[in-house]
Amino acid sequence: IDYARAFCSLQGLPFLLGCIQQEQVPVSIRQVCLGILSTLGQNNPPVQQQLLEMGAIKTLSDLFFDAKTTNATKTKIMQTLSSIVRNHELAENVFEQLPQSPQLFLDGLD
């Protein structure tokens, strides 16, 4: 948990979010970045809050529905969304308010 917070204080979260949004970045690296985001946010309210404030939930859901996103990347996106939202009431509320939330649930369960 302390290392995750230190990573955040070094502005690592914007870097990771930026990497996953860039098509020039190889898919394998984008997936690793998603895995790191998931690990950082899991059961870590301060990190979840920072990701929430950065708009990560919307960014990830938009990326999920991008036509160029592979199924393997969609799986990583769902894992990351789960880590950001789980046990964080405000993040859960934000996620529920997204217009694409019902479709994310349906597609994510496939």
Side-chain angles (χ1 to χ4, degrees), residues 37-107:
L37 281 173
S38 177
T39 300
L40 292 171
Q42 186 171 346
N43 300 315
N44 197 335
V47 176
Q48 290 171 311
Q49 185 66 35
Q50 281 188 6
L51 287 166
L52 182 62
E53 291 170 0
M54 294 174 63
I57 294 173
K58 175 81 167 96
T59 299
L60 291 168
S61 64
D62 289 345
L63 184 60
F64 185 90
F65 290 110
D66 186 317
K68 298 174 186 169
T69 302
T70 65
N71 284 337
T73 302
K74 286 182 179 186
T75 300
K76 288 286 191 181
I77 291 170
M78 290 304 294
Q79 176 186 15
T80 305
L81 280 169
S82 173
S83 292
I84 294 170
V85 172
R86 191 177 327 124
N87 296 320
H88 193 280
E89 186 175 351
L90 181 58
E92 289 176 11
N93 291 334
V94 168
F95 181 78
E96 288 175 4
Q97 298 303 314
L98 285 177
Q100 61 264 45
S101 288
Q103 194 61 44
L104 262 171
F105 271 115
L106 290 173
D107 291 353

